[in-house]
Amino acid sequence: EIVSRILKLGNAILTYLGILPIKQLKLRILILRNELGNPVANHADVLRIVEKAKQILRGSARISVAPTDGKDFVWTINEFAPAAALHLKGDGFDLVKAQLGEAGDFFDEMIGKYHSKATFPWNFPTTPITGFVVAKIDGRTGVASPIAGNWFAIEPSAFAPVTTGDGIDTISTTTDSSIIAHELGHNMSWFSHRDEVQNLMHQDDSRGYLLTQWQLVVMRSSGCVSIW
């Protein structure tokens, strides 16, 4: 990540000056199965918020999100997921322990199997990001591990379909349609949460899509982002 940011210093300067050519981020989302073998989320629901993430990052950061192999964004995997991976704890220190334990081992194995290993230098200059849809995350609806694992996890309650209306004119929305874009922001930047409600890195699902100039500089020079 450090090497990538040094090599992308010129791009960081251009971004600071407001020159933002389209860059690309590679993404794959893997839906886990619960103890009974059932997917923890619906493929179509996950794909819906992936499409929203594409819109948000294209509009806010001039970053194009593409599937890792140029085919499908979302896969439901058949491998047995350990309880530690299905049920994560949202605290930062607990997430580090998860990465160093059984959950992290499982996530690393899936990253290696479903797209090339997300570690420098194998994918330099672009490191793909893997998202995992897990059964439950204590205290949060999403967490990101940008330093050690380059993955994030979200729980289905974050994007559960919500139908509003009088039964005749209904509108189907999601609880948090920006959750993937938000977690990708952590993967690209390591940013803590922002107080400004209109900022994409605000913690609550009422967040907007705006990014500061400094956020743009850091995100667009990340090792997860490339010009191709």
Side-chain angles (χ1 to χ4, degrees), residues 81-93:
L86 280 169
H87 189 165
L88 296 172
K89 296 183 178 180
D91 180 77
F93 181 67

Side-chain angles (χ1 to χ4, degrees), residues 23-114:
K23 303 196 76 177
Q24 188 174 88
L25 178 152
K26 295 295 184 69
L27 173 67
R28 167 139 297 144
I29 306 291
L30 302 178
I31 302 174
L32 305 190
R33 294 179 182 270
N34 61 23
E35 296 86 348
L36 299 177
N38 299 320
V40 300
N42 181 279
H43 184 283
D45 292 337
V46 178
L47 186 58
R48 186 179 301 115
I49 57 171
V50 170
E51 291 299 323
K52 186 63 176 180
K54 289 174 59 180
Q55 295 175 18
I56 292 172
L57 292 179
R58 178 91 178 198
S60 299
R62 297 275 290 168
I63 293 174
S64 174
V65 180
T68 300
D69 57 2
K71 297 179 181 178
D72 300 318
F73 276 111
V74 183
W75 289 18
T76 300
I77 64 175
N78 293 319
E79 287 78 4
F80 171 78
L86 280 169
H87 189 165
L88 296 172
K89 296 183 178 180
D91 180 77
F93 181 67
D94 286 324
L95 189 64
V96 173
K97 290 194 295 183
Q99 175 61 40
L100 297 176
E102 187 178 19
D105 290 343
F106 175 76
F107 291 151
D108 287 343
E109 181 184 351
M110 294 302 99
I111 289 171
K113 181 172 183 177
Y114 285 94

Side-chain angles (χ1 to χ4, degrees), residues 203-221:
Q203 184 167 359
D204 296 337
D205 58 18
S206 59
R207 70 181 72 88
Y209 307 147
L210 297 181
L211 294 168
T212 67
Q213 186 179 42
W214 176 243
Q215 285 176 312
L216 287 172
V217 169
V218 176
M219 285 185 180
R220 289 174 54 84
S221 62

